[in-house]
Amino acid sequence: MANIIFKQYLEERSAEIDEHLRTYFREGSHPDMSRYLYEPLAAYSDNGGKRHRPLITLLACKAVGGDERLALRAGAAIEHFHTAALIHDDIADESQLRRGEPCMHITMGEGLAINAGDLALSLVTGTVLNDDLLDDSVKIRVLKELVDMTTRTIEGQAMDIGWARDKRFDITVEDYLCMAQHKTAYYSGAVPLAIGAIVGGGTEEQVEVLRSYGMSTGLAFQLQDDLLNLVGSKEAATKDFRSDITEGKRTMVAVHALAHTEGAQREELLDILSSKETDQARLARAVEIMQAAGSIDYVRDYAVKLARQGQDGLKRVLPMSISRTLLVSMGDFFVSRLS
């Protein structure tokens, strides 16, 4: 199956990215710099998931005919941004767990967690500026992409945090999609693929087709994460299963369910989403209401459609190669995780 190809690619090469990322977390000039900054940030980064962002940056570079080594540091820069975003996002959401482990602000305190996130942000630009393999003109273009990516993510985060602060549940599906595109899709798909094509010497058409494919698959990635948090079989074994309900997140599932549920059931769902509920029976009840509203199936179908968008475009503008095949299979991989 096509999705297995991409899954194997991530599994085979994620350790290589892990090893590269560790090189950025040097020891400080004083032991306490290491204790309070570099060591906890390195440990947090090590719990980094599948590393799909830097790995698809490498793929895009190779797919347009470039040497993937040109994309390694730019891909690492995007992963540093991801680390910073998660640390700061956990603080804003008052989250307790990240990938089954206590959040950094729980283990280190909020001040040190913010500081570590700030260092990860500084590594985004520093990583590219110190890349000896890229010409200055390419560096400037990559940095512009990273600045735009950062801005879009912050815009989406502002919407997400603002809705939570104002206790708003009058959000439409269109509102959610705008927020998620900005907060997640740019840095999880669009920018990694665009930067990979840029450093690989791709044409403008290739850059933009890859960017568009990254936007749709990046949004599908967010939707599948939202669904897995609610109904994923593997995720059910972790302590942060259904934490999106506890945190009252305005996911597309929740937004759709509230728009398609009436009366007592809608009030019950709204109460659960608003009360930081941790009781497993109540969390399961919220999912039951969402399923009855057709929201689980609606979001799953929407994600499937997104994940497959742009696959024909890739085949049109990219020469046949294993890298192109892997990029096409990336969409299929996201779909398979929702089945």
Side-chain angles (χ1 to χ4, degrees):
M1 295 175 63
N3 64 81
I4 300 298
I5 300 173
F6 187 74
K7 180 181 179 182
Q8 289 175 340
Y9 170 71
L10 296 181
E11 291 173 348
E12 289 171 1
R13 301 203 60 184
S14 61
E16 174 186 336
I17 299 297
D18 289 344
E19 183 177 355
H20 177 74
L21 289 170
R22 291 186 192 107
T23 65
Y24 295 93
F25 306 117
R26 59 176 177 78
E27 293 184 0
S29 58
H30 187 284
D32 284 345
M33 290 182 190
S34 298
R35 177 184 180 186
Y36 296 127
L37 179 59
Y38 290 103
E39 290 174 5
L41 184 56
Y44 189 93
S45 178
D46 258 350
N47 185 26
K50 295 177 177 60
R51 306 296 192 195
H52 91 266
R53 295 168 187 84
L55 285 170
I56 65 174
T57 307
L58 301 186
L59 274 182
C61 179
K62 287 189 71 175
V64 299
D67 183 339
E68 70 171 28
R69 290 175 297 179
L70 296 171
L72 181 58
R73 292 182 70 87
I78 296 169
E79 194 69 5
H80 292 320
F81 177 81
H82 178 53
T83 295
L86 293 184
I87 292 172
H88 290 160
D89 194 39
D90 286 342
I91 295 169
D93 290 344
E94 299 179 359
S95 301
Q96 300 297 305
L97 295 169
R98 171 66 64 179
R99 300 193 184 98
E101 298 292 333
C103 296
M104 185 183 287
H105 68 275
I106 300 298
T107 59
M108 298 293 296
E110 192 170 293
L112 286 173
I114 292 172
N115 199 54
D118 290 345
L119 175 62
L121 280 178
S122 77
L123 289 172
V124 176
T125 52
T127 296
V128 175
L129 288 172
N130 294 324
D131 191 343
D132 295 333
L133 297 180
L134 299 182
D135 294 338
D136 287 348
S137 60
V138 176
K139 287 182 185 180
I140 291 172
R141 190 169 177 190
V142 170
L143 288 172
K144 183 182 184 305
E145 290 284 343
L146 293 172
V147 169
D148 289 346
M149 174 193 77
T150 302
T151 302
R152 298 292 87 77
T153 306
I154 292 170
E155 288 171 345
Q157 180 75 329
M159 295 174 71
D160 201 19
I161 295 173
W163 293 339
R165 186 200 69 179
D166 295 343
K167 298 180 172 58
R168 289 183 56 190
F169 284 99
D170 60 335
I171 311 305
T172 66
V173 167
E174 290 72 22
D175 293 330
Y176 169 84
L177 290 172
C178 179
M179 181 277 292
Q181 285 169 346
H182 284 68
K183 182 177 176 178
T184 302
Y186 276 95
Y187 89 87
S188 290
V191 173
L193 292 186
I195 285 179
I198 289 168
V199 300
T203 66
E204 289 305 311
E205 183 182 25
Q206 288 173 328
V207 171
E208 294 312 314
V209 167
L210 280 161
R211 187 195 306 279
S212 177
Y213 181 63
M215 279 295 290
S216 60
T217 53
L219 183 54
F221 178 83
Q222 180 60 57
L223 294 179
Q224 59 93 15
D225 262 11
D226 292 346
L227 285 169
L228 290 172
N229 185 269
L230 297 177
V231 296
S233 56
K234 179 180 177 182
E235 285 72 15
T238 69
K239 293 181 180 179
D240 52 351
F241 184 53
R242 294 179 174 166
S243 59
D244 285 355
I245 301 174
T246 303
E247 295 167 16
K249 287 189 176 180
R250 279 72 173 165
T251 64
M252 189 168 169
V253 181
V255 169
H256 183 274
L258 287 169
H260 293 81
T261 306
E262 297 178 347
Q265 282 197 336
R266 186 181 190 280
E267 291 304 313
E268 184 181 7
L269 178 59
L270 193 57
D271 178 64
I272 295 172
L273 290 169
S274 304
S275 60
K276 297 188 181 297
E277 185 61 67
T278 58
D279 179 74
Q280 290 300 314
R282 290 266 286 167
L283 297 179
R285 174 58 181 158
V287 173
E288 181 182 315
I289 295 172
M290 293 173 183
Q291 288 175 323
S295 303
I296 301 292
D297 290 339
Y298 174 81
V299 174
R300 180 182 286 110
D301 291 344
Y302 198 97
V304 167
K305 179 181 176 180
L306 282 172
R308 290 176 174 160
Q309 278 181 8
Q311 289 178 328
D312 289 341
L314 293 185
K315 295 173 184 177
R316 177 176 58 82
V317 303
L318 298 176
M320 178 60 191
S321 68
I322 184 60
S323 297
R324 190 187 80 174
T325 300
L326 284 166
L327 285 171
V328 171
S329 72
M330 177 175 72
D332 296 322
F333 172 71
F334 290 154
V335 171
S336 72
R337 295 188 69 198
L338 299 176
S339 60

